[in-house]
Amino acid sequence: QIQLVESGGGLVQPGGSLRLSCAASGSIFMINAAGWYRQAPGKARDLVAIVTDDGSLNYADSVKGRFTISWDNAKNTWHLQMNSLKPEDTAVYYCSANLVIDGSHYAYDYWGQGTQVTVSS
């Protein structure tokens, strides 16, 4: 059984920083891509940042220059460093992975349970 567990959310003042972490566990053969999404109240879940196994990075325009995704593939963990946070960054942040489990030929998307990030003074 595959599990993705996030940590690091919380309350921070505007201009502050937070670091989110995601740890994937279970019978993982390989991870093709690891990323972060967020969902604000009443809005759709949107991509924040994603990294693929070939090292490609993609960020939402709204976070470019402020957020950095990093991936420790050997440990099946990835992080989202969030700097210069703004109130509009407030959302539930979900980590996600496209991965292949042991014994399978197919890749599927898996999600964490979400962690709340609130940016407010």
Side-chain angles (χ1 to χ4, degrees), residues 79-93:
H79 310 281
L80 185 68
Q81 178 66 43
M82 305 185 293
N83 299 328
S84 302
L85 282 160
K86 305 175 181 180
E88 50 264 42
D89 294 318
T90 296
V92 178
Y93 284 69

Side-chain angles (χ1 to χ4, degrees), residues 60-120:
D61 288 343
S62 59
V63 307
K64 284 180 181 176
R66 300 188 297 122
F67 291 10
T68 303
I69 188 170
S70 59
W71 183 13
D72 185 342
N73 202 353
K75 296 182 179 179
N76 288 339
T77 59
W78 52 104
H79 310 281
L80 185 68
Q81 178 66 43
M82 305 185 293
N83 299 328
S84 302
L85 282 160
K86 305 175 181 180
E88 50 264 42
D89 294 318
T90 296
V92 178
Y93 284 69
Y94 298 89
C95 68
S96 177
N98 181 269
L99 60 85
V100 181
I101 62 173
D102 285 340
S104 173
H105 298 286
Y106 303 102
Y108 296 95
D109 292 332
Y110 292 84
W111 295 86
Q113 80 284 358
T115 186
Q116 177 69 45
V117 171
T118 303
V119 184
S120 175

